[in-house]
Amino acid sequence: MANIIAVTACPTGIAHTYMAAEALKKTAIAMGHSIRVETRGATGGQNTLSDEEIRTAQVVIIASDVHLEMSRFAGKTIYAISTSDAIRDTEQVLDAALELIKTQAVQTATEAPILEVENNSADRKKIVAITACPTGIAHTFMAAEALKKWAKANNCDIRVETQGSVGAKNQLTDEEIAEADVVVIGADTHVDTARFAGKSVYKTSVGRALKETEKVMQEAFSAPKQTAQTVATPTKSTQKASGVYKHLLTGVSYMLPLVVAGGLIIALSFVFGIEAFKEKGTLAAALMSIGGGAAFALMIPVLAGFIAYSIADRPGLAPGLIGGMLASQLQAGFLGGILAGFFAGYVALWMRDNIKLPVHFEGLKPVLIIPLLSTLLVGLFMIYVVGEPAKAIMDGLTSFLKNIGSANAVLLGLLLGGMMAIDMGGPVNKAAYTFGVGLLASNTFLPMAAVMAAGMVPPLALGLATFVAKNRFTPDEQIAGKASAVLGLSFITEGAIPFAANDPLRVIPSCVAGAALTGAMSMYFGCELHAPHGGVFVLAIPNAVSPLLAYIAAIVSGTLLTTVLLVLFKKPISQATVA
């Protein structure tokens, strides 16, 4: 008698899921085997398999028409087929799965001496890795380079896949994964680990992969084998905080392409004049319809929808999108969208896990019960609870920013500018950027200008400092300085991270001071920016930034201040090191 476990899943979880489960159970019992079947659909899992059941199972049958997370079955014999095969050819499916057990036993017996020799060999370690941040612009690629540099220094082979808003680059092959000794995932967004089943997988943040590479790699190689769940988050409070932050960043990452595309298209409409879009039938009007009427209209619903999706998976998407649309219609702004997203996500998650129906009605949950009840609750919550207060807050904030006095403008600019530089792409930086981006939907452009200008200062200043004070930087840092300057021109603050990591006590305060000055000057001069990204290249678009000369002066002033402070604070290094 074999001990079998199975998982069945179809896109809706309504019919094929349960029919496949029943067919496998009845046939396996009739054949004299023990079986436990977990069913999965849009609402999640039912009759979830326990860790003990998975551990003791001889074979796992996956009858699924959708992608499933397979990491919990690491090291087990898995036989995968469609739900239709499980329903129509149940006995053949079970025979084929049981045959795998026999095949594996023979292979293990014949290959044991070879495996022993391979384990004792001095072959280079093989690593595969994935790096991912919400935008996929800077942290993603810098962390990838840090991992590659470590591998080279430690005589290891490595392949790194980078994931961002544009998708995956340098995708890992099945062969590379199969040959890897360890898998390292440095990510601030969700990364599917199903393809790494049976491998030693170590998960951490993209920031740690970049800044604490040595420690991360040591932990990765010492992680328990045959697991895909080793996560570098030591405490429950930290996990909870990072979870909320991760949900927010997931929403922002899906929203960001809409904001960037919409903002730049709106900026292009200003080429024909700042109010040319008001003339119907013109190209300027068409560009404004694309950027403002379509892209920006989707901004808050997408933000809310994917915050909810991050929390509750597919059940959260519908109430999240609808809650976000209501936030937009109620003029509750991005604050209302964030509230809608979190409320929708947790409501859908609770319903998915707690609403219990008879097995024959279980299929109604994903297509009727959860969408109806969660959307109804979220809609009423937005209209009667959140709508008016959030609108009042947004109206007050918008009014304050549009009528801000010079003293208050300087203070706000100092705050936003300092936030952009203090962790250079981290949570504080992202909070300031999200604030600026969110206000674009309310036609408030002052904070966005201050945020982008300040974010350009740290990498620009470090690029300049490595040029004018070479005796304070190593040859590697001088080379990195050139790249940093280019990143600064492109509004990628992360270009300053390598310098901050090497000398945080001198570099970070210098960068914060210069960025804060730039933010303050931008707000004082009343600079407005209509595009949420692009750096110096946006300045070439007529009317995208105004007043242009004052804006450039703010960036130059902050860059010079940071450069001077770096030269003063950093001590000259030995000539032998510089040479």
Side-chain angles (χ1 to χ4, degrees):
M1 183 181 78
N3 185 9
I4 305 168
I5 58 173
V7 179
T8 61
C10 67
T12 61
I14 297 175
H16 275 67
T17 296
Y18 296 103
M19 291 169 67
E22 288 301 312
L24 288 170
K25 283 191 284 189
K26 288 180 180 178
T27 306
I29 292 170
M31 294 170 68
H33 302 299
S34 169
I35 189 169
R36 271 272 288 127
V37 184
E38 174 183 314
T39 56
R40 301 194 66 84
T43 60
Q46 302 293 326
N47 302 316
T48 305
L49 298 167
S50 67
D51 292 341
E52 179 63 19
E53 288 171 330
I54 295 172
R55 187 185 66 79
T56 57
Q58 293 173 274
V59 67
V60 182
I61 297 175
I62 304 294
S64 176
D65 304 321
V66 296
H67 171 75
L68 292 178
E69 172 63 60
M70 303 283 285
S71 58
R72 58 187 172 140
F73 302 122
K76 307 301 295 185
T77 300
I78 298 174
Y79 183 71
I81 36 84
S82 68
T83 55
S84 296
D85 288 338
I87 295 167
R88 292 195 304 263
D89 306 312
T90 317
E91 188 170 343
Q92 291 91 324
V93 165
L94 287 163
D95 285 339
L98 295 171
E99 186 64 29
L100 278 180
I101 304 174
K102 299 175 184 177
T103 304
Q104 186 185 52
V106 171
Q107 289 177 340
T108 301
T110 58
E111 294 178 6
I114 299 175
L115 290 173
E116 186 175 351
V117 172
E118 288 179 347
N119 287 338
N120 292 331
S121 68
D123 290 343
R124 289 161 61 95
K125 292 290 186 180
K126 293 185 178 181
I127 307 163
V128 294
I130 295 178
T131 59
C133 66
T135 58
I137 295 175
H139 270 81
T140 297
F141 299 102
M142 293 170 71
E145 287 304 313
L147 292 172
K148 290 177 186 177
K149 188 174 181 180
W150 184 93
K152 183 178 180 181
N154 289 271
N155 197 35
C156 297
D157 293 326
I158 190 169
R159 276 271 288 133
V160 185
E161 176 182 312
T162 55
Q163 296 185 5
S165 296
V166 296
K169 300 291 185 182
N170 302 317
Q171 288 181 296
L172 302 171
T173 65
D174 292 340
E175 183 179 357
E176 288 168 338
I177 294 170
E179 294 176 351
D181 295 296
V182 68
V183 180
V184 177
I185 297 177
D188 291 332
T189 58
H190 175 72
V191 172
D192 188 358
T193 59
R195 54 185 164 150
F196 304 122
K199 308 302 294 184
S200 176
V201 179
Y202 180 81
K203 290 183 181 180
T204 187
S205 68
V206 70
R208 286 194 73 230
L210 170 60
K211 299 174 186 177
E212 303 175 28
T213 314
E214 177 68 33
K215 185 176 180 181
V216 163
M217 294 308 299
Q218 294 298 330
E219 291 172 353
F221 275 107
S222 63
K225 300 302 179 184
Q226 304 300 327
T227 177
Q229 301 297 327
T230 307
V231 185
T233 46
T235 66
K236 290 184 178 180
S237 60
T238 302
Q239 290 173 356
K240 184 176 180 181
S242 63
V244 172
Y245 176 62
K246 180 179 177 180
H247 300 324
L248 177 61
L249 283 191
T250 298
V252 170
S253 69
Y254 280 97
M255 175 188 73
L256 194 58
L258 296 172
V259 179
V260 174
L264 291 174
I265 291 170
I266 290 171
L268 287 173
S269 75
F270 297 146
V271 171
F272 304 97
I274 200 70
E275 295 186 352
F277 68 90
K278 294 181 179 179
E279 188 68 31
K280 293 184 178 180
T282 63
L283 180 57
L287 292 171
M288 182 58 73
S289 294
I290 296 169
F296 270 29
L298 286 169
M299 189 173 86
I300 294 173
V302 167
L303 171 66
F306 282 95
I307 289 174
Y309 174 79
S310 179
I311 296 168
D313 213 324
R314 289 195 303 175
L317 194 55
L321 289 168
I322 294 168
M325 181 60 75
L326 284 170
S328 183
Q329 292 174 347
L330 295 168
Q331 298 180 358
F334 77 100
L335 293 177
I338 291 171
L339 289 172
F342 278 103
F343 186 74
Y346 287 115
V347 164
L349 181 65
W350 185 90
M351 290 183 177
R352 187 193 75 181
D353 294 341
N354 291 279
I355 293 179
K356 306 297 182 183
L357 295 175
V359 65
H360 297 296
F361 295 99
E362 193 68 27
L364 294 176
K365 279 175 65 176
V367 296
L368 176 61
I369 306 298
I370 292 179
L372 173 62
L373 295 181
S374 62
T375 299
L376 183 61
L377 283 175
V378 171
L380 293 173
F381 175 72
M382 292 302 298
I383 292 171
Y384 290 109
V385 180
V386 172
E388 287 301 319
K391 181 180 183 299
I393 293 171
M394 287 300 300
D395 288 346
L397 181 59
T398 302
S399 176
F400 169 74
L401 292 171
K402 287 183 176 179
N403 301 288
I404 193 170
S406 58
N408 289 330
V410 168
L411 290 175
L412 180 60
L414 281 169
L415 176 62
L416 290 175
M419 290 174 69
M420 288 301 294
I422 198 164
D423 59 356
M424 302 174 190
V428 179
N429 171 287
K430 289 292 190 296
Y433 180 69
T434 302
F435 177 74
V437 167
L439 288 170
L440 290 178
S442 303
N443 295 319
T444 304
F445 308 107
L446 291 169
M448 190 68 248
V451 162
M452 188 170 86
M456 294 168 65
V457 166
L460 283 175
L462 281 156
L464 180 59
T466 58
F467 179 75
V468 300
K470 294 182 179 179
N471 65 334
R472 286 163 168 76
F473 298 91
T474 66
D476 285 345
E477 287 177 327
Q478 292 173 33
I479 295 171
K482 297 181 177 66
S484 178
V486 174
L487 293 172
L489 291 172
S490 305
F491 178 39
I492 299 176
T493 315
E494 289 90 339
I497 286 177
F499 300 91
N502 289 338
D503 191 5
L505 295 180
R506 295 181 179 87
V507 171
I508 293 176
S510 301
C511 290
V512 169
L517 174 63
T518 294
M521 289 180 65
S522 176
M523 291 292 290
Y524 177 78
F525 290 129
C527 298
E528 294 187 343
L529 174 66
H530 294 265
H533 217 290
V536 71
F537 305 104
V538 173
L539 307 186
I541 302 176
N543 302 310
V545 182
S546 61
L548 180 58
L549 292 179
Y551 195 63
I552 294 173
I555 296 171
V556 170
S557 298
T559 301
L560 291 176
L561 175 59
T562 294
T563 302
V564 170
L565 292 175
L566 287 169
V567 173
L568 290 175
F569 291 163
K570 287 183 72 68
K571 296 178 180 179
I573 56 180
S574 66
Q575 291 301 314
T577 306
V578 176

